[in-house]
Amino acid sequence: MAAGIVYLSYPSRADKHAPISASDVCKPLSNDTSIAALKQVLSEQSEFSFDEEPEASHLPTEVSDSYSTSCFIRGDQNLLLSVRARMMRAEPPDSWAREVFAGRDDEAGRASRFEAGTRGVASPIRAAAFIPCAPKGKIPGGSYNLSVVVSLKKRGDVSDAQSRDGLIDLVTSFGKHAHKNAGCTLPSRI
């Protein structure tokens, strides 16, 4: 009888992975595609927490050069994934991509392009999209894009291709939300 009690007190492998539901995650990732992607790319955890940085305030009809928002996903007290969107002056897509992968030569070598905005780039642990937002003259200083970056700190037990695909889904969902909420006037192309 004691063996049965000891056995029941240990969680099974199936019980170890905490559920992820739309009501728990950051608002920009609360859609079915993002939930499935999170379940795909995140490592097993007994609990998850989702911390959302509120979007920088702006008037709903105006686009602002200070727009930013982010979501941090932790599991068992460790940072697992971060998603950030910020407004920035438009620049050549190649220099933007180099900046996103700066200092990560091993990762940059595994990164490849995907269709999103002005430029989409993804590796098995990072995905980013440079999304058109405001034309020259809408915000002082030139034209502006949104830079959206998803960084996976601890990957689940999936292939490189599955991880990359999941991160692309996350950066696309977050990018669509940010594009709408930033008041962008140019088509997002995502």
Side-chain angles (χ1 to χ4, degrees):
M1 185 172 193
I5 293 170
V6 171
Y7 173 77
L8 291 175
S9 69
Y10 290 102
S12 70
R13 180 157 170 78
D15 294 337
K16 186 179 180 193
H17 199 43
I20 300 173
S21 66
S23 62
D24 298 329
V25 302
C26 304
K27 185 178 179 183
L29 301 177
S30 63
N31 59 68
D32 291 341
T33 301
S34 293
I35 298 296
L38 288 170
K39 290 177 181 179
Q40 178 176 320
V41 302
L42 293 175
S43 61
E44 288 187 359
Q45 304 291 314
S46 61
E47 67 178 0
F48 290 104
S49 66
F50 300 85
D51 300 315
E52 186 171 358
E53 179 184 295
E55 295 165 314
S57 60
H58 63 282
L59 298 174
T61 57
E62 294 183 9
V63 65
S64 166
D65 65 348
S66 65
Y67 178 86
S68 68
T69 187
S70 58
C71 177
F72 301 96
I73 302 171
R74 290 177 174 77
D76 299 334
Q77 306 300 319
N78 297 308
L79 181 62
L80 302 175
L81 185 132
S82 66
V83 190
R84 299 170 192 239
R86 68 179 175 96
M87 188 73 69
M88 62 183 288
R89 291 175 86 179
E91 61 181 83
D94 288 338
S95 63
W96 166 83
R98 279 191 302 276
E99 182 182 318
V100 168
F101 288 93
R104 300 171 184 93
D105 293 335
D106 59 324
E107 185 184 342
R110 298 186 323 170
S112 58
R113 292 174 64 170
F114 67 96
E115 292 297 318
T118 303
R119 174 71 50 90
V121 184
S123 75
I125 60 171
R126 182 178 313 273
F130 202 41
I131 303 168
C133 183
K136 187 174 182 177
K138 189 75 172 172
I139 303 174
S143 57
Y144 281 78
N145 283 11
L146 285 170
S147 176
V148 183
V149 180
V150 177
S151 296
L152 184 60
K153 309 297 183 191
K154 188 172 181 185
R155 192 169 111 181
D157 189 22
V158 295
S159 70
D160 284 355
Q162 289 171 314
S163 184
R164 182 182 181 279
D165 290 347
L167 295 178
I168 289 171
D169 287 343
L170 293 171
V171 81
T172 302
S173 291
F174 207 83
K176 287 177 182 177
H177 176 87
H179 188 267
K180 177 182 174 189
N181 286 10
C184 296
T185 56
L186 292 174
S188 69
R189 301 189 337 220
I190 54 176

